[in-house]
Amino acid sequence: MHYRIRVADTADKITAIKLVRELTGLGLKASLDLVEARAFFEADREDATLRRIVEDGARAGVRFEFDPPLDLAVTAGGDVSGRPTGPTGEFAIRYRSGVNKIAAIKLVRELNPELGLANARDVVEGQGLVCTGVGAAEVERILGLFAELGASVEVERVAMTCAPEPNLPSPRAGKRPYGQASEDDDF
């Protein structure tokens, strides 16, 4: 589809120029002029390509304006941020990237009060799981919180099994299931 696009706001001019060059095929100087003037330009790209560019821009603090508006809400299996389209099921949220890691660490700690500062930092720096077993409504709320920070997260459907987990005795009970060794065993 044919769109008129402009860089509405940017925290990273270099990334904005690269993305405009990718959209238009123009040279460095012409792309720089478009970014600095915040002028509209025309692009005829597939919606999937535009969504990817918008996602890349959002991670770097670059916001685009489209005419007609680009519908970011619908893609196969979810929208551009990986949000689930169905209202049921349980999901896990994995941190991917963001421009403000300190704010992301604070948010991870707010969502997981049992985590210490070092553990929350490890989640953010290691692209770890922020939370798991979250319902669809809570996923929407958490995605909004990370979006406000300019952070990118990924939503994964948690695999659900029908078979109950085996009822193994706990190690604290003094009995161990067959085949488990402890550090007290002599070999």
Side-chain angles (χ1 to χ4, degrees):
M1 185 172 190
H2 193 75
Y3 289 96
R4 286 178 23 119
I5 307 168
R6 77 180 185 101
V7 176
D9 190 27
T10 182
D12 183 357
K13 190 186 283 188
I14 293 172
T15 301
I17 293 167
K18 288 178 183 178
L19 294 173
V20 168
R21 289 186 73 188
E22 184 176 347
L23 283 168
T24 62
L26 295 173
L28 183 62
K29 174 70 172 126
S31 297
L32 171 67
D33 292 342
L34 287 173
V35 169
E36 287 181 340
R38 302 204 192 291
F40 276 97
F41 54 89
E42 296 187 6
D44 190 16
R45 301 277 188 205
E46 294 178 7
D47 285 356
T49 302
L50 293 174
R51 286 185 187 98
R52 181 187 53 78
I53 290 172
V54 167
E55 228 180 47
D56 292 347
R59 281 194 287 273
V62 179
R63 190 173 56 84
F64 290 97
E65 184 178 320
F66 288 83
D67 182 29
L70 179 64
D71 182 17
L72 294 175
V74 181
T75 62
D79 74 352
V80 81
S81 63
R83 275 183 242 162
T85 56
T88 61
E90 290 190 355
F91 304 94
I93 299 175
R94 180 177 302 279
Y95 183 85
R96 285 297 176 204
S97 65
V99 292
N100 190 345
K101 286 188 178 182
I102 294 173
I105 292 168
K106 287 180 181 179
L107 181 55
V108 168
R109 288 194 70 197
E110 284 177 29
L111 295 171
N112 300 295
E114 71 280 359
L115 287 181
L117 182 60
N119 293 348
R121 188 193 75 221
D122 291 343
V123 167
V124 170
E125 290 179 351
Q127 296 184 350
L129 284 177
V130 174
C131 50
T132 186
V134 180
E138 184 69 2
V139 166
E140 292 295 324
R141 183 184 79 80
I142 293 171
L143 288 175
L145 294 172
F146 278 104
E148 288 175 9
L149 300 177
S152 173
V153 294
E154 181 179 286
V155 179
E156 304 167 359
R157 185 175 295 274
V158 176
M160 301 183 76
T161 60
C162 296
E165 298 219 4
N167 190 11
L168 298 175
S170 73
R172 294 185 188 139
K175 293 184 179 180
R176 294 184 312 243
Y178 179 76
Q180 283 190 348
S182 78
E183 58 191 40
D184 296 333
D185 292 337
D186 293 328
F187 289 99

